Amino acid sequence: MRTAVYSTRAYDRDFLADANRSAGSRHELSFIETHLDAQTARMAEGHDAICIFVNDVLDRPVLAALADAGVRVAALRCAGFNNVDVAAARDLGIALARVPAYSPDAIAEHTLALILSLNRKIHRAYARVREGNFALEGLLGFDLKGKTAGIVGTGQIGLRVAAILHGFGCEVIASDPCPSDALAEAGGRYVGMDELLARSDIVSLHCPLTPGTRHLIDEAAIAAMKPGAMLINTSRGAVVHAQALIGGLKSGRIGHVGLDVYEEEGDLFFEDLSSKVLQDDVFARLLTFPNVLITGHQGFFTREAMEAIADTTIANLSRFEETGTPKHPVTMDTLAGRR
């Protein structure tokens, strides 16, 4: 199938090309660096399919333009699909596919990297030592053993984080509207969200973005957290209300923040903006706090995860070409479950 692949970088091209070759080079991939939006949708003309990433826009106007261009399937090379109007795709006859799971270990391990770096001030110590400053003042951390870790969302990633933190000697508690029997095997137990916020020394977010989880961590939730708690978000940016987060940091209610995602990341992440002035005042303010560590949506970025994403994406295209239905479709039923 002729496929327009949006938002690509060199690594996307390498992994997708390798996966396509392994599948017999059956698809013709056109790599496009720009994001998909209403202006760039016309670049898909002459293609049977498109392939998009987390910051591409697939709303009704874009889908309508794609349908007019002859596109029959949109393959997401990610698990989340909050950037997609699923109902509009159904109405316009465009099939949707996603990568439901690739490497939960990649994001779980990145979560722990944020926790450990924030706790032991690794990012600050690195900068100090390079300047010849070997003083320890301001670098005091705490033992993870014996602390309470709250996991919000116990899908595959949340369960892996729970198991790792349990291995560090943490008491693991979790909250999820769809409980998993596997949590007990990972050493955790379920509690209500109120109890989780009140008791957790570390709160780690691993839930999908839905109307119910948008701004789940807002001013009220922050006020309910244990004073000085650490907040980690490697799920979706809009799960956290960034302005409320700033208030929590200023008041000292939140002791540490680690983010791999940000609500307005579409204009920031995956780009080199080092020679430009950041236009997002909220994001710029977050960067001023010494107890905030932000990475640019790199939690998924391991060789194993990239290979799995590319292989699944090509498999979705191949299955659609053969049967008219992708291997891992996104439907209204998927939307209802959000898993």
Side-chain angles (χ1 to χ4, degrees):
M1 298 180 70
R2 295 198 65 204
T3 304
V5 188
Y6 285 87
S7 296
T8 59
R9 298 293 180 264
Y11 47 82
D12 295 303
R13 295 190 287 270
D14 290 343
F15 283 102
L16 284 169
D18 285 347
N20 193 35
R21 278 192 293 271
S22 297
S25 299
R26 62 188 294 176
H27 305 293
E28 182 181 340
L29 305 179
S30 302
F31 295 109
I32 302 170
E33 291 189 7
T34 188
H35 296 316
L36 172 63
D37 56 27
Q39 285 70 47
T40 60
R42 64 180 183 276
M43 300 175 74
E45 290 182 3
H47 294 82
D48 308 296
I50 61 162
C51 179
I52 65 169
F53 197 44
V54 294
N55 290 332
D56 291 306
V57 176
L58 210 57
D59 57 16
R60 185 174 289 272
V62 171
L63 284 161
L66 293 172
D68 290 341
V71 171
R72 297 181 291 135
V73 59
L76 285 69
R77 51 186 192 276
C78 53
F81 48 92
N82 51 278
N83 55 330
V84 179
D85 188 331
V86 179
R90 177 201 59 191
D91 296 343
L92 292 162
I94 295 179
L96 300 173
R98 66 171 180 148
V99 182
Y102 35 94
S103 175
D105 294 295
I107 298 174
E109 291 169 11
H110 191 77
T111 299
L112 264 293
L114 289 174
I115 291 171
L116 292 170
S117 295
L118 279 166
N119 175 28
R120 302 309 300 267
K121 319 294 191 295
I122 301 299
H123 55 307
R124 298 181 66 189
Y126 172 79
R128 281 191 188 185
V129 169
R130 287 179 64 86
E131 295 177 352
N133 180 355
F134 304 99
L136 297 183
E137 283 80 7
L139 301 182
L140 188 67
F142 56 83
D143 290 352
L144 284 179
K145 183 178 180 180
K147 298 301 184 292
T148 300
I151 310 298
V152 181
T154 52
Q156 293 188 54
I157 297 169
L159 289 172
R160 288 295 300 130
V161 173
I164 296 170
L165 286 171
H166 177 69
F168 271 90
C170 291
E171 177 191 0
V172 177
I173 57 178
S175 178
D176 194 309
C178 302
S180 169
D181 293 338
L183 179 64
E185 299 173 16
R189 64 184 181 87
Y190 286 104
V191 299
M193 189 65 181
D194 290 344
E195 181 180 346
L196 185 148
L197 292 174
R199 293 192 55 221
S200 296
D201 299 290
I202 301 167
V203 176
S204 192
L205 306 175
H206 303 285
C207 50
L209 179 60
T210 70
T213 62
R214 180 175 292 276
H215 292 173
L216 177 69
I217 304 301
D218 57 8
E219 187 174 346
I222 291 170
M225 290 174 65
K226 185 175 183 178
M230 178 186 293
L231 177 67
I232 305 291
N233 187 13
T234 57
S235 58
R236 286 292 181 266
V239 174
V240 175
H241 190 291
Q243 194 67 56
L245 191 59
I246 290 173
L249 286 161
K250 289 173 64 178
S251 70
R253 188 75 187 187
I254 297 178
H256 306 82
V257 170
L259 305 176
D260 188 51
V261 290
Y262 173 66
E263 185 169 7
E264 303 298 332
E265 69 180 55
D267 294 327
L268 297 170
F269 291 179
F270 309 112
E271 306 290 344
D272 181 1
L273 304 178
S274 57
S275 62
K276 300 180 180 179
V277 175
L278 292 181
Q279 299 301 307
D280 189 320
D281 292 342
V282 173
F283 188 81
R285 181 69 177 96
L286 285 171
L287 292 177
T288 67
F289 291 95
N291 53 344
V292 171
L293 179 56
I294 302 176
T295 53
H297 207 135
Q298 73 178 80
F300 74 100
F301 199 52
T302 66
R303 180 172 299 279
E304 292 81 0
M306 291 297 292
E307 288 174 347
I309 289 169
D311 288 342
T312 303
T313 298
I314 295 300
N316 274 326
L317 294 172
S318 298
R319 180 71 64 82
F320 180 83
E321 185 179 39
E322 295 165 358
T323 69
T325 301
K327 185 174 183 179
H328 300 286
V330 177
T331 65
M332 296 303 294
D333 289 338
T334 317
L335 182 67
R338 303 302 291 199
R339 278 287 192 198

